[in-house]
Every structure is written in C-alpha cells, then in structure tokens.
Amino acid sequence: MQLVVTTWNVNSVRLRLDHVARFVAESKPDVLCLQETKCPDDRFPLSAFRSLGYAHIAINGQKGYHGVAVLSRLPFAETRAMGFCDKNDARHIAVTLGKEAKQAAGITIHNFYVPAGGDIPDPAVNPRFAHKLAFLDELMAWTGRERPAAEPSILVGDLNIAPYETDVWNHKALLGVVSHTPIETSRLEEWRQTAGWVDAVRHLKPEPEPVYTWWSYRSPDWAAANKGRRLDHVWLAPSLQSTLQEAHVTRDTRGWERPSDHAPVTVTLDF
DNA sequence: ATGGTGGACCATCCA
C-alpha cells in the first residue's frame, strides 16, 4: 500500500478552500497537514473537507493567527496538541493512524508551525526572534524527552528555516536574513540530527539541487525571479526511510490566483 | 539601503 502525505502552509484555510480542493483533486494525498489556518476551531470548514473525502480531521486553531490542521482519509487512533513557550499559540497537532490504516497503522504524524521570528536576527532586540530560538530549544527538549523518531513517525510543517545553502536563492545574501542565519540553521540541523529524523526531500533531491517551497508576496514576478526558500519540511523516522518513494514540491499552486506564498510538499511512502 | 504584498479583522498585528 501507499501512504501519501502533504504539508502546506495555506495562509488562511477559509480563503484558500478552492485552492485546497483543486490541489487534492490533482494530488490525492491520504493525509493533508495544513499550517496558518487562521481559523478558530468552531469556524473550521469541516463539512467542506468531509465532502473532499477527508472524514477524519484534527484541528488546533485560534482566532486570526497561526493554527494547524490534519485532514485524513484514514482514521486516527489518537490525536494530541502540544503547547510551547508558555503561550497559547496553536502551533502543533499530532495524529496517530488507526488500525484501519493497515501497514501504516501506528504511524504518528506531527504537524508544526514554527514561529517566523520577525525581521531582526538578534534575540536581544527582537522578542519574536528570541521566541523562535526558544521554540527550537523546546523542540530539542521534547525529542530528548519523548524520542519520537524511535517510533514510526513523520514530522512535517512550516519550520520557517531554510537549513542548507541551496535551500535559498542566494546563500551569501541571506546569511543575515531571518530563516537562513547560522544560529537558526545550526540549531535546526542539530535538533534534526540529535533526534534522528531523515530529511525526506533532501534524501531524494540532495544538494546542490535548489529546492524552494516559499516565494515572498513582495517579490514582483516571483516565478521569473525565483527568489525562493525551502521553509517547509517532511522528516521521517529512520524506520520509515526505506518506504520513501517520492518527494515533490507543487510549485504550480504559487501561480494560482490569490495564492498562498507557500507551496505544498508531498511525500509518497510504499509499504 | 530601502520598500515592496497579503491575511485577519476593525487598530494594528503578523508573516
């Protein structure tokens, strides 16, 4: 059997419902993980997603900002949301697939939205950057405590960091830009390696092939300029590495009318 | 070095 998992920062799930519908019609993921839903739980468009075939839905939303959701064709045995940095921000939700998922039963999928970090890459003067670094520290502590990669698990989300040189359009130009500063990229890489996750996209598309998942709204003619960054990630526990068949960034969605600034990232696992 | 755009929601905050 195949398990197809997509992560996508949609930047408002209600505004982008038609885009999500069009994407799932084309890509047919079994599990769709969304970030920046910007939607309180009591206003989440549940019935629209059920109509698209996603009967199993786990949401962690709030008014106006952040918010994550997992839409699934397969039932959950368990869902769970974690909080970070003593804030009530909706930045994580996890699901564990139920026995109906057959070979994929028991797989836990963690869906994260890591803080963007503001504009100035100095925690002493920019509280948002300090929050981002503290969030990464708590992620490190979480993996040390729970060892999630020791079980069959997938970690996806908008991590708001482009770790490698060819994850950005110009490495040298972006060394001082939040999302690609050494303090962030080294912390992300240390966390991933210590926890043991495999970077699924880079496993199949190793450097120096450029891979981007985000293009700024502020860039005119974004497609021709192609000043992108790889901010969205799919990581696999080592026990799932051998199931990895494909990884794909659906760049097309960025060219649709009134798009999200992020493109979906999809992996196919084969059991 | 600067300013550029977009979403939520009702004054700005956040990306």
Side-chain angles (χ1 to χ4, degrees):
Chain A
M1 71 165 284
Q2 278 194 341
L3 181 71
V4 178
V5 179
T6 294
T7 178
W8 192 7
N9 178 324
V10 282
N11 190 15
S12 171
V13 68
R14 287 173 289 179
L15 191 68
R16 226 74 69 189
L17 255 181
D18 56 333
H19 283 205
V20 178
R22 184 173 164 189
F23 170 78
V24 302
E26 293 170 2
S27 296
K28 302 180 172 59
D30 299 297
V31 181
L32 176 59
C33 299
L34 302 178
Q35 303 87 32
E36 281 211 88
T37 53
K38 295 185 174 176
C39 182
D41 288 351
D42 61 5
R43 301 191 61 184
F44 196 90
L46 295 170
S47 57
F49 282 105
R50 291 191 186 114
S51 303
L52 293 172
Y54 298 91
H56 310 283
I57 300 175
I59 51 179
N60 180 17
Q62 68 184 84
K63 184 179 176 182
Y65 310 107
H66 322 314
V68 289
V70 181
L71 300 312
S72 176
R73 299 182 186 281
L74 300 163
F76 307 139
E78 195 182 328
T79 72
R80 166 192 179 205
M82 294 191 287
F84 291 85
C85 301
D86 293 319
K87 292 175 183 281
N88 289 321
D89 289 357
R91 296 185 180 274
H92 168 265
I93 191 154
V95 303
T96 302
L97 299 179
K99 59 182 187 304
E100 301 85 348
K102 303 200 164 82
Q103 290 96 324
I107 292 178
T108 297
I109 301 167
H110 289 278
N111 179 13
F112 280 103
Y113 177 50
V114 172
D119 290 330
I120 303 165
D122 180 352
V125 299
N126 174 9
R128 289 208 272 279
F129 195 71
H131 177 215
K132 185 178 197 174
L133 297 180
F135 198 98
L136 291 168
D137 286 344
E138 291 198 11
L139 287 168
M140 174 75 100
W142 162 62
T143 53
R145 205 167 55 239
E146 297 195 14
R147 311 248 168 228
E151 294 159 33
S153 57
I154 305 169
L155 186 153
V156 308
D158 176 5
L159 305 184
N160 265 316
I161 296 173
Y164 307 134
E165 294 194 10
T166 55
D167 289 340
V168 295
W169 66 278
N170 185 328
H171 169 61
K172 284 186 179 170
L174 291 180
L175 274 172
V177 175
V178 172
S179 74
H180 195 60
T181 65
I183 188 170
E184 296 167 81
T185 58
S186 60
R187 209 168 288 203
L188 186 79
E189 192 64 356
E190 184 191 0
W191 169 44
R192 186 185 62 75
Q193 289 183 2
T194 303
W197 305 101
V198 177
D199 181 333
V201 172
R202 279 301 183 199
H203 189 73
L204 295 177
K205 303 176 193 299
E207 287 207 287
E209 179 181 348
V211 181
Y212 310 142
T213 67
W214 175 89
W215 295 263
S216 172
Y217 284 127
R218 297 177 189 178
S219 172
D221 202 3
W222 70 274
N226 198 26
K227 294 181 174 179
R229 305 178 201 171
R230 189 172 73 106
L231 304 180
D232 303 274
H233 299 270
V234 178
W235 294 351
L236 302 178
S239 62
L240 294 178
Q241 182 178 315
S242 65
T243 67
L244 178 62
Q245 300 300 307
E246 287 179 54
H248 181 67
V249 179
T250 308
R251 192 180 194 268
D252 289 0
T253 62
R254 185 63 179 80
W256 294 353
E257 193 177 349
R258 281 168 72 84
S260 168
D261 46 354
H262 294 253
V265 182
T266 300
V267 298
T268 302
L269 308 184
D270 228 325
F271 297 89

